Structure formats: C-alpha cells, structure tokens
Amino acid sequence: MSCVEKCPRCGGQVVEKEVKEVLYGGSNTAFLTVMAGVCLHCGERLYAPKTVRRLEEVEAKLENRETTGFRTVGRSFQVAL
Ligand SMILES: [Zn+2]
C-alpha cells in the first residue's frame, strides 16, 4: 500500500501504520486516526496525497465551524497557570 519504503529525511525504514492526528482550526480541535508511513528511525510521517487532502479538508471545516458530522468526544479547556 505504501509507495515510499525509505524515509526521505534519514533513509530509515518506513512502515505503514495507523497514527493519531490532532488537527486545529480556529478554536476547534479534531482527533483522527489515519494510515501513514512512519519512519522507524526518526518518526517522520509520510501521508498519501489523498490523506493530506482529507486532513486539509477537516482543518478547513474546523476553521469554518462546519462540524456537522463530526462526533463530539470531549471538551477543550484553556487553563491559566
Ligand atoms: Zn527517518
């Protein structure tokens, strides 16, 4: 499935994995699980072009507050220390 087997950054081995991504848009946050190539050496993540597009779409929706269809899984808090 992965088109890249070597990390472009360090040349390490890249494996296909499910990774958790956190996206921010405006004051909204979304958590996603996506497939990505992950370098075993430096942790660099490589995404398929369609995954990148999907992530950008979600980011744009967050920014425009078009969160219809997104499931609420918690609340975000800002804490002053
Ligand atoms: Zn690497």
Side-chain angles (χ1 to χ4, degrees), residues 37-63:
V38 180
C39 173
L40 294 176
H41 186 69
C42 73
E44 177 85 342
R45 289 177 178 187
L46 308 158
Y47 302 102
K50 71 165 199 251
T51 307
V52 174
R53 265 200 304 278
R54 186 79 187 103
L55 294 175
E56 284 171 355
E57 270 172 33
V58 172
E59 249 169 8
K61 283 187 176 186
L62 286 175
E63 215 150 309

Side-chain angles (χ1 to χ4, degrees), residues 14-67:
V14 173
V15 292
E16 197 86 15
K17 269 191 187 179
E18 267 196 348
V19 296
K20 287 210 165 73
E21 277 297 321
V22 185
L23 298 178
Y24 303 95
S27 53
N28 296 313
T29 313
F31 298 89
L32 293 88
T33 304
V34 295
M35 288 304 288
V38 180
C39 173
L40 294 176
H41 186 69
C42 73
E44 177 85 342
R45 289 177 178 187
L46 308 158
Y47 302 102
K50 71 165 199 251
T51 307
V52 174
R53 265 200 304 278
R54 186 79 187 103
L55 294 175
E56 284 171 355
E57 270 172 33
V58 172
E59 249 169 8
K61 283 187 176 186
L62 286 175
E63 215 150 309
N64 300 321
R65 299 177 188 204
E66 290 169 20
T67 51

